[in-house]
Amino acid sequence: MTLYKNLFIDQGSDFEVEVQLQNSTSEPRDLTNLEFYGQARKSAGSSTAYNFTVSSVTNKPGTIKIAMSNKESGYMKPGRYVYDIYARNQSTNKEFKLVEGIVEIIHQVTNIQQC
């Protein structure tokens, strides 16, 4: 089952959030043998994509960390985007969606080079 979660990212800032995934019995989801990837786009059909770095959190069962560098978020214009996070089982090569939602890029006001 796909989790729906909205994200709020400050333009030009490093971003990371931890998300706990559960199975159908509300237990932490088994993340063994999974590799993760995800992107944000202005719309699902947009050719321009912004990449997330996604990894499992070793000391928190069923938890992934979704991250984006300040460089990547700096390329994004303020506004709403859609995103999703997928996993691929390295043993079976099956892919499935884990998380999806809206990303809101909040406009950067302060020019850090001028501070």
Side-chain angles (χ1 to χ4, degrees):
M1 188 166 138
T2 303
L3 175 67
Y4 192 84
K5 180 168 182 62
N6 291 337
L7 305 177
F8 299 89
I9 300 175
D10 291 323
Q11 181 187 34
S13 295
D14 289 320
F15 169 81
E16 67 179 43
V17 65
E18 290 183 1
V19 177
Q20 184 174 45
L21 305 170
Q22 298 177 339
N23 62 22
S24 59
T25 60
S26 298
E27 297 292 322
R29 186 170 190 153
D30 182 9
L31 303 178
T32 306
N33 293 324
L34 298 181
E35 61 181 6
F36 310 99
Y37 52 95
Q39 295 181 328
R41 298 173 187 262
K42 196 64 176 162
S43 67
S46 176
S47 61
T48 303
Y50 304 93
N51 294 313
F52 288 105
T53 302
V54 186
S55 57
S56 60
V57 179
T58 54
N59 60 343
K60 296 180 182 176
T63 303
I64 60 172
K65 179 172 70 172
I66 303 169
M68 181 177 279
S69 71
N70 62 345
K71 185 175 180 181
E72 193 79 1
S73 71
Y75 292 134
M76 300 173 80
K77 293 181 181 177
R80 289 188 176 180
Y81 295 73
V82 293
Y83 84 99
D84 53 23
I85 304 297
Y86 273 79
R88 177 184 299 122
N89 186 311
Q90 296 174 341
S91 300
T92 64
N93 218 26
K94 290 186 178 182
E95 298 176 326
F96 50 93
K97 189 185 299 189
L98 292 172
V99 186
E100 67 179 341
I102 304 292
V103 175
E104 182 80 28
I105 300 297
I106 310 301
H107 196 338
Q108 181 178 7
V109 176
T110 301
N111 185 336
I112 296 170
Q113 283 98 22
Q114 293 180 356
C115 290

